[in-house]
């Protein structure tokens, strides 16, 4: 009986070895699972599953015409008699590919019969496509509405009238109003139009001095349409 005790101890020690190996094996498997979960939650894994950046359709027009050539010389001559500078006066712009303007003015002095004053100006705004802002066309559409609202809200404007205009760009609005400046009654006619991703605004106004008749709204409204059509054609020609 005394000889069997050491033998029993050896048997129990050997029997314990597989149990320790199993426990070690379980611990190893558990560590593998944790590593897998960590990999799944790693930044690289999250980045690979992120949604792709949104894309927008490229803007059709990438260039603007020279503002002072946006209205044909013949149109300027007809709308602004005795024009001071036939070449026009360009407005300042820090980005001529996106915005530009030009103006013309003249005074037709008829002596005792009075004088007729006319002013014509054109503004061009081009919008690029941007994933965070939208397509160039949509941006131009939004800003077209803002330009119309701005024109209708001109400070001091009286009897403001607006109506859709046809045959000019993709959409256009004709705006007319009266405005008193320097004790003279001025009549304004304007067209705001959009062609693809470009907004063209043409403003035309006039007054009669020294007893001359104030120009008629309908006459200025017809004339400004011609200038706006020139502007749209100039944008299209600049991008051919």
């Amino acid at each position: 009986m005394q000889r069997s005790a050491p033998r029993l101890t050896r048997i129990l020690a050997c029997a314990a070895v597989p149990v320790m190996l199993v426990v070690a094996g379980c611990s190893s498997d558990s560590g593998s699972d944790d590593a897998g979960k960590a990999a799944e939650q790693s930044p690289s894994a999250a980045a690979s599953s992120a949604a792709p950046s949104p894309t927008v359709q490229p803007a059709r027009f990438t260039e603007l015409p020279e503002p002072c050539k946006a209205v044909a010389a013949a149109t300027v001559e007809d709308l602004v008699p005795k024009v001071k500078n036939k070449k026009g006066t360009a407005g300042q712009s820090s980005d001529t590919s996106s915005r530009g303007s030009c103006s013309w003015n003249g005074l037709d002095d008829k002596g005792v019969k009075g004088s007729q004053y006319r002013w014509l100006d054109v503004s061009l705004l081009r919008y690029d496509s941007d994933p965070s802002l939208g397509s160039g066309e949509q941006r131009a559409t939004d800003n077209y509405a803002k330009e119309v609202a701005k024109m209708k809200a001109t400070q001091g404007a009286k009897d403001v009238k607006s109506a859709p205009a046809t045959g000019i760009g993709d959409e256009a609005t004709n705006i007319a109003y009266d405005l008193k400046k320097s004790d003279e009654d001025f009549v304004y006619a304007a067209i705001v139009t959009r062609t693809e991703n470009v907004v063209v605004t043409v403003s035309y106004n006039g007054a009669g001095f020294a007893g001359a008749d104030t120009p008629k709204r309908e006459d200025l409204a017809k004339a400004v349409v011609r200038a706006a059509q020139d502007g749209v054609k100039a944008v299209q020609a600049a991008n051919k």
Side-chain angles (χ1 to χ4, degrees):
M1 293 297 291
Q2 292 178 351
R3 293 174 53 188
S4 65
R7 182 181 177 188
L8 179 61
T9 301
R10 288 197 299 271
I11 293 172
L12 292 174
C14 291
V17 172
V19 174
M20 293 173 66
L21 291 176
V22 170
V23 172
C26 291
S27 298
S28 176
D29 289 343
S30 176
S32 176
D33 289 344
D34 291 343
K37 292 179 181 179
E40 290 177 1
Q41 297 174 355
S42 66
S44 59
S48 64
S49 61
S53 300
T55 59
V56 293
Q57 184 175 357
R60 177 180 175 186
F61 296 136
T62 59
E63 301 290 338
L64 286 179
E66 291 184 41
C68 292
K69 293 183 179 179
V71 179
T75 302
V76 172
E77 202 168 327
D78 287 347
L79 271 59
V80 189
K82 306 295 183 180
V83 60
K84 285 184 179 180
N85 182 2
K86 292 182 179 181
K87 293 182 178 180
T89 302
Q92 293 184 348
S93 174
S94 59
D95 184 1
T96 55
S97 68
S98 296
R99 61 181 62 240
S101 62
C102 189
S103 63
W104 301 261
N105 68 87
L107 179 66
D108 186 6
D109 190 348
K110 295 184 179 180
V112 296
K113 293 184 178 180
S115 305
Q116 287 291 335
Y117 176 80
R118 296 291 185 274
W119 174 286
L120 174 69
D121 66 72
V122 60
S123 169
L124 306 165
L125 297 171
R126 188 184 66 82
Y127 298 91
D128 281 319
S129 294
D130 187 305
S132 63
L133 300 175
S135 69
E137 183 175 355
Q138 184 58 56
R139 294 180 66 199
T141 299
D142 295 340
N143 283 278
Y144 159 78
K146 292 178 182 178
E147 290 297 316
V148 171
K150 186 190 301 182
M151 186 68 69
K152 292 167 67 175
T154 299
Q155 186 174 4
K158 297 180 179 180
D159 194 21
V160 180
K161 304 288 185 184
S162 66
T166 58
I168 313 171
D170 296 305
E171 54 184 334
T173 300
N174 193 322
I175 304 160
Y177 57 88
D178 299 332
L179 185 64
K180 197 172 188 67
K181 296 191 302 180
S182 303
D183 296 326
E184 298 292 344
D185 295 321
F186 280 74
V187 177
Y188 279 73
I191 290 282
V192 181
T193 183
R194 178 186 66 81
T195 174
E196 297 287 346
N197 58 305
V198 176
V199 176
V200 180
T201 301
V202 180
S203 180
Y204 183 44
N205 68 77
F209 293 157
D213 293 336
T214 300
K216 296 180 180 179
R217 273 195 181 196
E218 53 267 31
D219 292 339
L220 268 62
K222 290 178 182 178
V224 77
V225 168
R226 178 180 170 185
Q229 289 173 332
D230 284 355
V232 171
K233 291 177 182 177
V235 171
Q236 295 170 343
N239 288 273
K240 285 185 178 178

